[in-house]
Amino acid sequence: MGISRAAQVARLEPTDRTPEIRKAAVTRSVLEVRNQVQQKLNAKLPPTEHKPILSLLAINLPEDYVTEFEELIELLGHTDGARDGDSTQSIRAKPFKLMLIGANEYWAQEIAAVMRQMKSGGSDP
């Protein structure tokens, strides 16, 4: 077990370090171990304090899109919407969610029309 995986397991009380968790720490990725540990920790917390289970999102984009995206993440991280006191999400995850909300609101009518079209089995609008 590497240092990163051991650090994840160390977040648990000794009684919560089950054989399943210890085996995962030797055979699974750091993210998988982190999520397994987080599930155990969340079970003991009220729902409002649960930390998210993470997943890697990888997408190949033109460099200028990535630069613009990173700049927007940085700026949105300083907005009131991202600095709301909610410690269950990282300061980089919150701007991403704000972009999703904004896109859904901006294109709400078009998205609704596309969803209706897809449900009816129709082709592209």
Side-chain angles (χ1 to χ4, degrees):
M1 158 181 349
I3 293 171
S4 297
R5 290 178 191 90
Q8 291 300 323
V9 173
R11 295 170 54 211
L12 294 171
E13 295 293 326
T15 55
D16 291 332
R17 298 175 191 163
T18 63
E20 179 185 54
I21 296 273
R22 289 195 305 271
K23 182 178 179 185
V26 175
T27 61
R28 303 284 179 135
S29 72
V30 175
L31 184 59
E32 289 173 309
V33 174
R34 183 250 177 236
N35 285 340
Q36 199 169 0
V37 167
Q38 194 58 56
Q39 285 178 326
K40 275 221 175 277
L41 294 173
N42 283 348
K44 294 182 178 186
L45 295 171
T48 57
E49 294 180 26
H50 284 193
K51 300 279 183 175
I53 302 305
L54 302 178
S55 183
L56 176 65
L57 170 66
I59 183 171
N60 292 317
L61 297 170
E63 284 185 25
D64 55 331
Y65 288 13
V66 174
T67 301
E68 188 175 351
F69 179 79
E70 288 290 342
E71 289 170 356
L72 186 55
I73 289 266
E74 175 67 25
L75 292 171
L76 286 172
H78 293 282
T79 64
D80 290 341
R83 298 194 173 274
D84 59 0
D86 177 6
S87 62
T88 62
Q89 299 288 324
S90 75
I91 201 66
R92 285 190 55 86
K94 288 180 183 183
F96 194 85
K97 182 63 176 178
L98 291 173
M99 285 187 267
L100 294 174
I101 291 167
N104 278 315
E105 288 182 8
Y106 187 82
W107 287 293
Q109 291 179 344
E110 189 172 346
I111 290 169
V114 168
M115 290 174 68
R116 283 191 302 274
Q117 185 80 22
M118 291 172 71
K119 275 186 179 179
S120 71
S123 59
D124 293 338

